[in-house]
Amino acid sequence: MMNEVERAFELYGKRLYAYMRRLGLSEVEAEDGVQEVFIRAMRSSIDWSSPKGYLFKIAHNWAMDVLRSRMPLIDEEEGYELSAGKDHFEDVHLLLQSLKEEERSVLLLLYQEGLSYHEVAELIGKPENTIKSIVHRAKAKLRKEV
């Protein structure tokens, strides 16, 4: 089992870290999150031959708990102007931060991690059509911001 856990860590550790950073966690929080994901996964009985969905589900839930526990970093009522001098990554980061936590998470899981609508729906625990509605609303917000 340990070899399977190590293999899963090698395959998904950096991706889980990057996912949690994109959700808005600090470096330390994301590092703690990766550790917590693997601790929780090792305590449960999962199929280590294909752990991706389960690991991201744990990461998502853990990150949402952390984000809910602290004050919002960005007031969602405020608008953002993207200056031409900013790096493209910073622009995208600001745009994503203007979304609600759930919207940001769904977009990252779909487009960054390459999960399907069905996989995201299972991971978050909402119907697939709800996930599609969340994506539609999030994209509309992003179009307004740009």
Side-chain angles (χ1 to χ4, degrees):
M1 177 173 141
M2 199 51 153
N3 288 337
E4 292 174 326
V5 175
E6 290 172 357
R7 182 176 174 273
F9 183 81
E10 289 295 320
L11 287 173
Y12 302 112
K14 289 181 182 178
R15 290 176 64 186
L16 291 165
Y17 173 84
Y19 171 65
M20 288 189 265
R21 288 286 289 147
R22 286 185 190 96
L23 287 175
L25 298 182
S26 69
E27 290 178 17
V28 172
E29 289 169 330
E31 288 170 357
D32 290 347
V34 172
Q35 289 178 356
E36 188 64 31
V37 165
F38 281 92
I39 289 169
R40 290 182 185 187
M42 287 176 14
R43 287 181 181 158
S44 65
S45 56
I46 70 166
D47 177 13
W48 284 101
S49 63
S50 59
K52 180 180 177 181
Y54 189 73
L55 295 175
F56 274 95
K57 182 173 187 166
I58 296 171
H60 170 80
N61 291 338
W62 191 86
M64 292 299 110
D65 287 345
V66 170
L67 290 169
R68 281 186 208 106
S69 71
R70 60 178 152 125
M71 297 294 288
L73 294 175
I74 296 175
D75 183 7
E76 293 180 10
E77 299 300 318
E78 292 180 14
Y80 294 99
E81 285 188 31
L82 301 177
S83 68
K86 286 188 177 178
D87 175 358
H88 176 70
F89 177 78
E90 291 173 353
D91 291 345
V92 171
H93 183 71
L94 278 178
L95 281 172
L96 287 175
Q97 291 299 320
S98 71
L99 298 174
K100 293 180 181 176
E101 294 167 359
E102 182 178 62
E103 294 168 335
R104 184 170 53 244
S105 177
V106 167
L107 289 180
L108 289 171
L109 288 169
L110 282 171
Y111 298 110
Q112 183 68 35
E113 296 305 323
L115 299 179
S116 68
Y117 282 100
H118 179 73
E119 290 171 320
V120 173
E122 283 183 353
L123 194 143
I124 294 180
K126 294 192 176 191
E128 193 171 330
N129 285 335
T130 301
I131 299 301
K132 290 177 182 179
S133 295
I134 291 169
V135 170
H136 179 74
R137 282 193 307 271
K139 286 181 176 181
K141 284 182 185 179
L142 292 175
R143 278 192 287 277
K144 282 184 181 178
E145 292 290 331
V146 177

